[in-house]
Amino acid sequence: MFRNTFQAGFLSIFYSLGSKPLQLWSEHTGESGDIKKVVDEDIDSCVYEIVDSKNIAVTYISCPADPNKTLGLKLPFLTMIIKNVEGYFSFEIQILDNKNIVRRFRASNFQTATRVNPSICTMPLRLDAGWNLIQFNLSDLTKKSYGTNFTETLRVQIHANCRLRRIVFSEKFYSEDEFPADFRLYHPVTVATDA
Amino acid sequence: MWHEARRQERKIRGMLVDYRRRAERRRDFYEKIKADPTQFLQVHGRQCKIHLDPSIAAAADSASAMMPWQGQADNLIDRFDVRAHLDYIPPVKKEDDEELTFEERQINYERYRIIAQNSFLGINEEKFLKQLHLEEQFGYTESKSKKDQRSGGTSIGFNYEDNTAQTLGPDYHNDNDSEGNSDSDLDVDLSINVSKMDSTQAHEMNRHGRNFGMSSNDFYSFLTNDLEEAESFRLAKEEEHEKALFSGRKSRRERRAHREKRLANRVISPPSYAARTSPTYPSFRKSKSPSKSPSPENAGKITYITSFGDEEESPSTSKSNEKKSKSRRRNESSERVVYISKRRSYSKEKSHRRRKSRSRSKTRRRSYSRDRYRKSRSRSKGRSRYRRRHSSTSSSVSSSSSSSSSSPSKSRSSSPRYRKMSPPSTRSASPVKSKSRSPLKHESPPKVIPRYYGRKKSDQSSSELSDSSVKDVDMKVANSPVNSEKWSGYGNSGIVTKKTGQNLSIQERLKRKRQALLNKQFKADKIAEQLKTEREKQEQQHREDELREMAIKLRRRQREKRHAYDSNKSSSSSDSESSKSKSPPPTVENKPKSPSPHVTKRDDYRERESRRFERRDGSRERREHSRERRNSRSPRRCSEKRTVYRDRRERRREDYERDRDYRRDSYDRERDRDRREERSGRSLVDY
């Protein structure tokens, strides 16, 4: 989708405050799953919640929406702002490496050991309580797990049991304080004044 | 002083021991924490700061943060949103999930195997995550307690810790854990012992797996696969560890022993050509094998080399034969390069035979002069150049095309040489022999190793080629040598083009043409060389004859001179002086005429020696001889003498004379020899 566009700085693929945050995403819900917009009490702001108490495999959102399309984002740093809701949680990023092989990186909080298969690398994911900032370098990850070079991101898939605020790709690594204000978490002004 | 030294020594020794121990400890430590580098690939979330600063909130909520997408006021997007790059977002048509491919199922297994397992085991999600958290915070305390429990022999489904794993029966539970601690890095996540599962359990497990994007019995089969993989990995690791034990320069022997042990109980698969008979052309092999078989035997048939060793021939032909055999051997070596796998066995045999024949011919011709060898060496240089060229072409062949495709050209290039090998003289000399051997080749079992690679076409052509070459050899027995040479030059290539001409590329044809040209050139060179050697030999012969003549002449002249001296002596003693002084000039005269004696110098010397002895022995005889001759020449004077000296005095005088004669003779000889030596030295320099 974005392979032929100029990509620099930040590219956000999800922000919960927009009008249609899931315009590019496809929603998949299982029997016990739910994807909805909620107001998070910690930040008093709208976030998206993906929950499934039984099977996280069937409740997820995926970008791009069309399964036959790919993102084609070349920015290697991925930043996600996600709330840990005490349940199984998993996300997956599909990338293309310089050998034109599709690789998948899946981080799951129920896993303890990393397994590297030719097509998928499953990693353990550890989250702190509350809101979490997840940042990693896809280029580095590709290099370390497969020994190849990262070319572009094809697909991002977020599975159940989390609250989602933002998913953004960036050109380089930014620490939390270097992000623009709207990338951070904040209490709304009204709450601050009330407090 | 001594105490001081001892103390120092002890200190140093202590330090050494310390270092060694420290190194050991360090190694142990690193060994303990050693892990697969991929295990360090983990994703960790950091707790996010929630800003309470109103300025940040104001900035984030400002109007500039959001903007409408494509001017649509109802669709506000973030200022960094990727949708800004899109003009149009196509609606996604809902597709029904199609059948999962095997790869997808495997990926799903990788994705969800742990939660599938947990679902099978009925482990609570929250509890599982909590346990993981605990384990990571405080280490694997739980597994130890479990182990203690198991060693106790009773399995009680109760634990003081909030152990999720204990909620299920111990029969399911991970027996891996006991050994799992030793190789804990294998599969920590898996807590099922798949190998101890019965079919109902497996079925149950598969049912759970189906919830997670796996179909039918995927879960179980993938799990068992995993187990096998883990096992093989463990074995490989063990082996690696064993190998590491024997590291270092000192334990080379141990390493070797280890390797040999490993190789000893290895099941060796048969070599490729033996193991697999090409399934693609069974009919072809059956039909072609009898015709193929002659080719090696035909090569073996080139035994006229052995035959020429036994026969008595004129030296000229035998010499050329030897040279030919040499050149052939050279060709052979180049061929061997070409024929790497194809006909190694037969070429070896051939070369062996050739070597034998060569050695025989050598022994037969030991007496040849040295310069011939020198000549041959120079020839060999030229040949080697040729060979190099040839080999380069052959290598280019092999590199440019696959071995199978290049095989026809190879066989073609080689076969003319076989033909060439037959020296004309031997062919004419022993036609019966070669004929008698020809039936043998038909009887012989097919020695050609079936190649499982290679195209059918090329195979066919090569086999037919060999067949045709057999025919050619048979024909050649009748043919004149010149004719056969022509045959080898062109006829064969013609055959080849006839057989495989259709599917040959231009390149190959060019190659072939070049080969033919090369062969022609080679042959011409050979003929020229032969002629040259012939001429040289004749020259030498001529020279030798001349030399012999000269020697005879010289001897005769000397004898005559002596006789003249003798006769003079008998008449007057004063003349002897003059004759002595006179004697040198004729030999001096001879000097320039002397034919290159440096080669035969030694022989000459020996001859001279022997002659001298002979002379010494037979001087008396000669004396008598000469007297007789003298008598015959001048019977009148002789009769006079007889009449004059008939008494004992005369006898005594004769004796005396003989003595003196002998002395003078030896003196003469000595002088002669000196002169000759001088001459030979001179001639050496001249050469």
Side-chain angles (χ1 to χ4, degrees), chain A residues 1-2 5-6 10-13 15 17-21 23-24 27 42-43 53 55-58 65-66 68-69 73 81 86-88 91-92 104 106-107 109-117 119-129 131-136 141 144-145 159 161 166 176-177 180-189 192, chain B residues 36 38-61 65-66 69 72-86 89-90 92-95 97 103-104 106-107 109-115 118-119 123-126 128-129 132 135-136 140 185-189 211-213 226 229:
Chain A
M1 286 170 89
F2 306 102
T5 58
F6 174 73
F10 299 103
L11 275 178
S12 166
I13 59 168
Y15 185 39
L17 283 187
S19 309
K20 295 175 181 171
Q23 200 176 6
L24 289 177
E27 299 173 48
D42 285 350
I43 55 171
S53 56
N55 189 352
I56 66 156
V58 291
D66 192 338
N68 301 319
K69 282 191 175 171
L73 292 171
I81 299 173
E86 302 297 330
Y88 292 149
F91 68 87
E92 184 174 310
R104 295 170 186 83
R106 175 169 280 259
N109 67 348
F110 45 82
Q111 198 169 344
T112 49
T114 310
R115 285 164 65 90
V116 180
N117 276 41
S119 50
I120 188 166
C121 168
T122 54
M123 299 173 288
L125 166 74
R126 294 295 170 264
L127 294 175
D128 289 334
W131 283 99
N132 279 266
L133 185 72
I134 301 168
Q135 281 182 300
F136 55 87
L141 211 58
K144 277 178 178 163
S145 52
H159 280 262
N161 294 329
R166 188 185 276 280
E176 200 183 343
D177 295 328
D182 45 342
F183 279 46
R184 306 185 206 174
L185 291 176
Y186 57 91
H187 271 291
V189 182
Chain B
D36 189 4
T38 57
Q39 294 307 318
F40 296 107
L41 288 176
Q42 297 180 341
V43 179
H44 285 260
R46 283 193 310 279
Q47 193 157 38
C48 209
K49 204 193 297 177
I50 298 172
H51 295 274
L52 297 173
D53 188 353
S55 64
I56 288 173
D61 280 337
M66 303 301 281
W69 175 69
Q72 297 173 12
D74 60 329
N75 191 2
L76 284 173
I77 59 166
D78 175 41
R79 56 179 172 152
F80 298 111
D81 203 301
V82 280
R83 277 175 285 175
H85 289 289
L86 294 174
I89 297 169
V92 181
K93 45 193 185 294
K94 280 278 181 184
E95 281 179 40
D97 292 336
E103 200 198 347
E104 276 171 355
Q106 189 158 24
I107 289 169
Y109 163 74
E110 288 293 329
R111 281 165 178 161
Y112 307 120
R113 62 196 198 100
I114 296 159
I115 48 174
N118 287 349
S119 127
I123 299 170
N124 191 314
E125 181 179 333
E126 270 174 53
F128 181 74
L129 287 174
L132 277 187
E135 278 176 13
E136 264 159 40
Y140 294 93
D185 54 348
L186 279 191
D187 206 343
V188 240
D189 289 323
N211 291 332
F212 297 94
D226 256 11
E229 218 167 89

